[in-house]
Amino acid sequence: MMTRRRLVVDDLKQRIAAGELRAGERLPSMVALCERYGVSDITVRAALKELESLGFVEARRRSG
């Protein structure tokens, strides 16, 4: 059974690979991601942290 975090990570990786989310662009807001996946902000934060550690996204503090 896949965790909700894993589903978010896998979908975002797929969207990045497909070019739907491009390098240098901002990801959708935390609220939008929570609504899209039907998960809590804690789950989305964990998924984004994992994607950052894998090199798929780059966190830019204080950029909104």
Side-chain angles (χ1 to χ4, degrees):
M1 183 173 144
M2 284 190 128
T3 64
R4 290 180 179 168
R5 179 187 50 80
R6 172 64 37 215
L7 292 172
V8 174
V9 168
D10 289 348
D11 186 63
L12 287 173
K13 281 172 46 176
Q14 179 182 354
R15 292 175 66 199
I16 291 167
E20 188 177 331
L21 300 171
R22 294 193 162 92
E25 289 183 355
R26 286 185 177 190
L27 291 174
S29 70
M30 186 69 66
V31 171
L33 290 171
C34 290
E35 288 175 359
R36 177 182 177 97
Y37 298 109
V39 297
S40 70
D41 63 326
I42 294 169
T43 300
V44 170
R45 287 181 200 279
L48 293 176
K49 186 170 184 139
E50 181 175 339
L51 287 168
E52 183 179 16
S53 72
L54 294 171
F56 281 90
V57 298
E58 177 183 302
R60 293 185 186 162
R61 306 293 182 233
R62 309 252 241 192
S63 66

